Amino acid sequence: MSRSTQIRHLVADLEKAADVPVDAAYGERGRRWELSWSNGPTPDTMKTHLTKLAQRAGLDPALFDLSRIVQDNALALQAVRYLRAAPTGEDPYAYESALAWEIERAARDTDHPDRPLDEREAALAARLLAAEGGYTTPRSLADRLLGEGLAALLDDGLEQERPGERAWAAEYLTARYAATLTTPHAAGPADHAQAWRRHLLTAPPGALLAAAAADPDAPAAVRLAALTLAPAVRAELEAALAEADAAELGLITALRADGSAWAQIGRALGTTRQGAAQRADRLTARTPPPPVNASLTGR
C-alpha cells in the first residue's frame, strides 16, 4: 500500500474517531502532512486519536501537524455558555478584555465548541451571531455582551403565558421585577437586575412571589406565573422548617444529656419548663429519625 493511500485511510479513520471532517495537505518544503479541521476536538484530543491510529497503521505520528480553526458560531456559543454559568458578585468583567479572554479560552479548551448543550443555548448563540452580522471576534462579543447582556437576545416568548412551567414563570417575573427587588441574590451580592440582564439568572422564587402579590396592577399573566412558583416556595419553606426543627431538637437533646434543667431550656425558648418539654415532644414527633448507617447494622 502506498504512503498516500495509508494517509487517506488514516484520515478516514480519524474523521470517524473525531466525528468531524478533516482536511489533509502535504507540505513539500517541510515534508510533513498538515491535518486541519473546524471546531471539533481540541488539538490535544485530536493528537490522542491520531497517535493511536497512526501507530496502528504503522505510521509515525511525528509526520503530522495539527491545526484547528474555531469558527464564529463556536465563539458565540461559548460566549453564551460562559455568561450563563458565570458567577455574579463583584463584576470581574469591568473590561471587555477580561471577558474576551474567557471566551477565547473556553473555545480553545472545549471539544466541539460549536455543539450546544440545549435548545436555549443554541437559540441565544444564533441570535448573538446574527446581531454581530455573522462575523465576530472574542472582543466584539465581549463588548456586546457587557453592554447589552444575554437578556437582549431573548425573543418575545416570555410574553406567552405558560402557567405550570416554572422556568417560564421565574424568567417572566424576574424580567418584570428584577430592578425593584432588594433581597440578596443567591449567586452573590450583585443586584438582581444585572444578574438577569447579563447572565439570565432568575431571582429567588420567594422574592418573585412576594413582588407579584404586592403588585396591585399585576395582569393575569403575572398572577398565573406567581401561582406557578408557589409550590416551589412552599417546598423551600417546609424544607427550611424541617431543618430548623431538627437543629432545635438536637440542641435540646444535647442540653438534656449535659444535665441542663427544663427550666433553663424553657427560658431560652421563651416559655416554661413544661412548655419546653412539650415542645421537645412535638419536635420529636414530627422530626424523622436520622438514616441508619448500613455499616453499623451489618447490611
Side-chain angles (χ1 to χ4, degrees):
M1 183 184 300
S2 66
R3 175 60 61 86
S4 60
T5 301
Q6 284 182 298
I7 298 298
R8 284 199 301 272
H9 288 322
L10 174 68
V11 170
D13 290 340
L14 188 59
E15 289 180 330
K16 292 179 182 178
D19 194 22
V20 66
V22 177
D23 291 327
Y26 184 69
E28 291 289 347
R29 182 174 300 177
R31 297 186 177 278
R32 296 165 62 85
W33 288 86
E34 179 173 328
L35 305 181
S36 61
W37 66 99
S38 296
N39 300 326
T42 65
D44 284 344
T45 301
M46 189 68 90
K47 183 178 180 180
T48 299
H49 291 312
L50 174 65
T51 300
K52 180 179 179 180
L53 293 171
Q55 290 175 344
R56 183 186 302 170
L59 295 169
D60 183 0
L63 291 173
F64 304 93
D65 291 324
L66 301 178
S67 176
R68 180 173 78 153
I69 300 170
V70 176
Q71 296 179 319
D72 295 332
N73 62 328
L75 289 174
L77 189 74
Q78 291 303 313
V80 168
R81 183 177 301 171
Y82 184 79
L83 271 192
R84 290 179 76 191
T88 58
E90 291 186 10
D91 198 344
Y93 315 119
Y95 300 99
E96 65 183 38
S97 58
L99 181 54
W101 184 88
E102 292 290 356
I103 294 170
E104 186 174 0
R105 179 198 58 78
R108 181 187 67 235
D109 296 344
T110 301
D111 286 324
H112 299 282
D114 59 325
R115 295 184 179 179
L117 298 177
D118 52 46
E119 292 182 4
R120 163 61 71 84
E121 185 177 84
L124 291 173
R127 294 184 195 121
L128 176 58
L129 188 58
E132 288 283 286
Y135 170 79
T136 192
T137 64
R139 184 171 288 271
S140 178
L141 289 168
D143 181 60
R144 179 176 296 278
L145 291 172
L146 283 176
E148 301 177 359
L150 291 177
L153 302 174
L154 295 175
D155 57 15
D156 297 328
L158 289 182
E159 300 300 324
Q160 300 173 3
E161 294 181 14
R162 298 195 293 276
E165 188 178 315
R166 288 184 183 177
W168 163 77
E171 291 188 350
Y172 178 55
L173 294 179
T174 299
R176 181 180 178 89
Y177 295 115
T180 64
L181 297 177
T182 58
T183 56
H185 199 286
D191 63 83
H192 293 280
Q194 176 176 296
W196 168 251
R197 181 186 66 83
R198 184 166 293 174
H199 304 286
L200 292 185
L201 290 177
T202 56
L208 296 173
L209 184 64
D215 185 355
D217 301 320
V222 167
R223 293 182 174 130
L224 287 170
L227 280 178
T228 297
L229 295 182
V233 174
R234 185 178 298 107
E236 186 177 316
L237 293 175
E238 290 173 350
L241 180 60
E243 186 176 339
D245 283 350
E248 184 178 345
L249 180 59
L251 291 170
I252 293 173
T253 302
L255 285 168
R256 289 293 292 161
D258 290 341
S260 296
W262 281 115
Q264 290 177 293
I265 297 173
R267 280 195 296 272
L269 292 173
T271 185
T272 63
R273 60 182 300 279
Q274 183 179 11
Q278 292 173 344
R279 171 72 177 165
D281 288 340
R282 289 194 297 270
L283 288 173
T284 300
R286 71 186 189 212
T287 301
V292 177
N293 190 329
S295 64
L296 298 180
T297 63
R299 296 178 182 177

